[in-house]
mmCIF file of all heavy atoms in Angstrom:
data_model
loop_
_atom_site.group_PDB
_atom_site.id
_atom_site.type_symbol
_atom_site.label_atom_id
_atom_site.label_comp_id
_atom_site.label_asym_id
_atom_site.label_seq_id
_atom_site.Cartn_x
_atom_site.Cartn_y
_atom_site.Cartn_z
ATOM 1 N N PRO A 193 17.661 -3.404 9.152
ATOM 2 C CA PRO A 193 16.820 -4.438 9.755
ATOM 3 C C PRO A 193 16.119 -5.189 8.619
ATOM 4 O O PRO A 193 15.916 -4.623 7.542
ATOM 5 C CB PRO A 193 15.798 -3.653 10.590
ATOM 6 C CG PRO A 193 15.999 -2.211 10.308
ATOM 7 C CD PRO A 193 17.175 -2.043 9.399
ATOM 8 N N ILE A 194 15.775 -6.456 8.842
ATOM 9 C CA ILE A 194 15.058 -7.210 7.804
ATOM 10 C C ILE A 194 13.567 -6.940 8.053
ATOM 11 O O ILE A 194 12.986 -7.469 9.001
ATOM 12 C CB ILE A 194 15.365 -8.726 7.914
ATOM 13 C CG1 ILE A 194 16.884 -8.976 8.066
ATOM 14 C CG2 ILE A 194 14.807 -9.490 6.716
ATOM 15 C CD1 ILE A 194 17.763 -8.434 6.953
ATOM 16 N N PRO A 195 12.947 -6.095 7.224
ATOM 17 C CA PRO A 195 11.607 -5.615 7.563
ATOM 18 C C PRO A 195 10.528 -6.671 7.317
ATOM 19 O O PRO A 195 10.661 -7.514 6.430
ATOM 20 C CB PRO A 195 11.407 -4.423 6.620
ATOM 21 C CG PRO A 195 12.274 -4.720 5.442
ATOM 22 C CD PRO A 195 13.433 -5.535 5.941
ATOM 23 N N ALA A 196 9.481 -6.609 8.119
ATOM 24 C CA ALA A 196 8.382 -7.574 7.985
ATOM 25 C C ALA A 196 7.154 -6.891 7.389
ATOM 26 O O ALA A 196 6.854 -5.740 7.711
ATOM 27 C CB ALA A 196 8.029 -8.139 9.360
ATOM 28 N N ALA A 197 6.446 -7.637 6.523
ATOM 29 C CA ALA A 197 5.170 -7.139 6.001
ATOM 30 C C ALA A 197 4.125 -7.254 7.100
ATOM 31 O O ALA A 197 4.151 -8.215 7.875
ATOM 32 C CB ALA A 197 4.743 -7.969 4.795
ATOM 33 N N LYS A 198 3.252 -6.271 7.189
ATOM 34 C CA LYS A 198 2.127 -6.392 8.107
ATOM 35 C C LYS A 198 0.852 -6.297 7.277
ATOM 36 O O LYS A 198 0.518 -5.233 6.741
ATOM 37 C CB LYS A 198 2.169 -5.285 9.156
ATOM 38 C CG LYS A 198 1.096 -5.448 10.213
ATOM 39 C CD LYS A 198 1.280 -4.464 11.348
ATOM 40 C CE LYS A 198 0.093 -4.445 12.295
ATOM 41 N NZ LYS A 198 -0.090 -5.683 13.047
ATOM 42 N N ILE A 199 0.194 -7.431 7.167
ATOM 43 C CA ILE A 199 -0.982 -7.520 6.294
ATOM 44 C C ILE A 199 -2.219 -7.010 7.032
ATOM 45 O O ILE A 199 -2.379 -7.257 8.223
ATOM 46 C CB ILE A 199 -1.217 -8.989 5.869
ATOM 47 C CG1 ILE A 199 0.057 -9.599 5.298
ATOM 48 C CG2 ILE A 199 -2.355 -9.089 4.852
ATOM 49 C CD1 ILE A 199 0.550 -8.975 4.037
ATOM 50 N N GLY A 200 -3.068 -6.337 6.305
ATOM 51 C CA GLY A 200 -4.292 -5.777 6.890
ATOM 52 C C GLY A 200 -5.292 -6.847 7.288
ATOM 53 O O GLY A 200 -5.112 -8.039 7.029
ATOM 54 N N ARG A 201 -6.356 -6.376 7.914
ATOM 55 C CA ARG A 201 -7.427 -7.240 8.408
ATOM 56 C C ARG A 201 -7.981 -8.095 7.273
ATOM 57 O O ARG A 201 -8.313 -9.268 7.448
ATOM 58 C CB ARG A 201 -8.522 -6.313 8.950
ATOM 59 C CG ARG A 201 -9.690 -6.919 9.593
ATOM 60 C CD ARG A 201 -10.450 -5.843 10.356
ATOM 61 N NE ARG A 201 -10.895 -4.738 9.519
ATOM 62 C CZ ARG A 201 -12.065 -4.709 8.886
ATOM 63 N NH1 ARG A 201 -12.896 -5.722 8.970
ATOM 64 N NH2 ARG A 201 -12.403 -3.663 8.154
ATOM 65 N N VAL A 202 -8.084 -7.510 6.092
ATOM 66 C CA VAL A 202 -8.502 -8.255 4.901
ATOM 67 C C VAL A 202 -7.377 -8.089 3.883
ATOM 68 O O VAL A 202 -7.226 -7.036 3.282
ATOM 69 C CB VAL A 202 -9.812 -7.686 4.325
ATOM 70 C CG1 VAL A 202 -10.270 -8.502 3.130
ATOM 71 C CG2 VAL A 202 -10.894 -7.625 5.393
ATOM 72 N N GLY A 203 -6.574 -9.128 3.741
ATOM 73 C CA GLY A 203 -5.376 -9.019 2.900
ATOM 74 C C GLY A 203 -5.706 -8.823 1.439
ATOM 75 O O GLY A 203 -4.980 -8.167 0.703
ATOM 76 N N ARG A 204 -6.836 -9.415 1.039
ATOM 77 C CA ARG A 204 -7.196 -9.342 -0.373
ATOM 78 C C ARG A 204 -8.704 -9.208 -0.469
ATOM 79 O O ARG A 204 -9.427 -10.161 -0.205
ATOM 80 C CB ARG A 204 -6.739 -10.635 -1.076
ATOM 81 C CG ARG A 204 -7.117 -10.746 -2.532
ATOM 82 C CD ARG A 204 -6.784 -12.144 -3.052
ATOM 83 N NE ARG A 204 -7.111 -12.310 -4.467
ATOM 84 C CZ ARG A 204 -8.338 -12.588 -4.901
ATOM 85 N NH1 ARG A 204 -9.352 -12.716 -4.064
ATOM 86 N NH2 ARG A 204 -8.557 -12.729 -6.202
ATOM 87 N N LEU A 205 -9.171 -8.033 -0.789
ATOM 88 C CA LEU A 205 -10.616 -7.838 -0.934
ATOM 89 C C LEU A 205 -11.004 -8.099 -2.380
ATOM 90 O O LEU A 205 -10.404 -7.557 -3.305
ATOM 91 C CB LEU A 205 -11.007 -6.401 -0.540
ATOM 92 C CG LEU A 205 -12.507 -6.096 -0.588
ATOM 93 C CD1 LEU A 205 -13.262 -6.850 0.501
ATOM 94 C CD2 LEU A 205 -12.780 -4.598 -0.470
ATOM 95 N N VAL A 206 -12.004 -8.932 -2.562
ATOM 96 C CA VAL A 206 -12.443 -9.256 -3.916
ATOM 97 C C VAL A 206 -13.158 -8.032 -4.520
ATOM 98 O O VAL A 206 -13.799 -7.253 -3.812
ATOM 99 C CB VAL A 206 -13.348 -10.515 -3.883
ATOM 100 C CG1 VAL A 206 -14.667 -10.241 -3.194
ATOM 101 C CG2 VAL A 206 -13.583 -11.080 -5.277
ATOM 102 N N GLY A 207 -12.998 -7.867 -5.819
ATOM 103 C CA GLY A 207 -13.648 -6.744 -6.511
ATOM 104 C C GLY A 207 -15.126 -7.018 -6.752
ATOM 105 O O GLY A 207 -15.622 -8.115 -6.462
ATOM 106 N N ILE A 208 -15.833 -6.038 -7.315
ATOM 107 C CA ILE A 208 -17.279 -6.231 -7.509
ATOM 108 C C ILE A 208 -17.567 -7.195 -8.658
ATOM 109 O O ILE A 208 -18.719 -7.552 -8.891
ATOM 110 C CB ILE A 208 -18.038 -4.893 -7.713
ATOM 111 C CG1 ILE A 208 -17.464 -4.112 -8.895
ATOM 112 C CG2 ILE A 208 -18.006 -4.039 -6.445
ATOM 113 C CD1 ILE A 208 -18.327 -2.921 -9.290
ATOM 114 N N ASP A 209 -16.518 -7.662 -9.345
ATOM 115 C CA ASP A 209 -16.727 -8.742 -10.322
ATOM 116 C C ASP A 209 -16.836 -10.089 -9.608
ATOM 117 O O ASP A 209 -17.139 -11.103 -10.227
ATOM 118 C CB ASP A 209 -15.583 -8.779 -11.353
ATOM 119 C CG ASP A 209 -14.212 -8.927 -10.696
ATOM 120 O OD1 ASP A 209 -14.142 -9.025 -9.445
ATOM 121 O OD2 ASP A 209 -13.206 -8.956 -11.424
ATOM 122 N N GLY A 210 -16.537 -10.073 -8.295
ATOM 123 C CA GLY A 210 -16.652 -11.300 -7.502
ATOM 124 C C GLY A 210 -15.539 -12.293 -7.754
ATOM 125 O O GLY A 210 -15.562 -13.405 -7.240
ATOM 126 N N LYS A 211 -14.542 -11.900 -8.544
ATOM 127 C CA LYS A 211 -13.504 -12.872 -8.905
ATOM 128 C C LYS A 211 -12.120 -12.400 -8.519
ATOM 129 O O LYS A 211 -11.433 -13.018 -7.722
ATOM 130 C CB LYS A 211 -13.529 -13.131 -10.422
ATOM 131 C CG LYS A 211 -14.819 -13.778 -10.899
ATOM 132 C CD LYS A 211 -14.681 -14.217 -12.355
ATOM 133 C CE LYS A 211 -15.988 -14.742 -12.896
ATOM 134 N NZ LYS A 211 -16.819 -13.665 -13.489
ATOM 135 N N GLN A 212 -11.699 -11.279 -9.111
ATOM 136 C CA GLN A 212 -10.319 -10.844 -8.905
ATOM 137 C C GLN A 212 -10.217 -9.861 -7.755
ATOM 138 O O GLN A 212 -11.225 -9.333 -7.290
ATOM 139 C CB GLN A 212 -9.800 -10.231 -10.203
ATOM 140 C CG GLN A 212 -9.580 -11.308 -11.255
ATOM 141 C CD GLN A 212 -9.183 -10.728 -12.587
ATOM 142 O OE1 GLN A 212 -10.002 -10.182 -13.300
ATOM 143 N NE2 GLN A 212 -7.915 -10.850 -12.907
#
Side-chain angles (χ1 to χ4, degrees):
I194 313 302
K198 186 172 170 67
I199 308 296
R201 184 166 58 89
V202 183
R204 176 188 181 278
L205 183 69
V206 68
I208 57 170
D209 56 1
K211 296 190 185 89
Q212 289 175 285

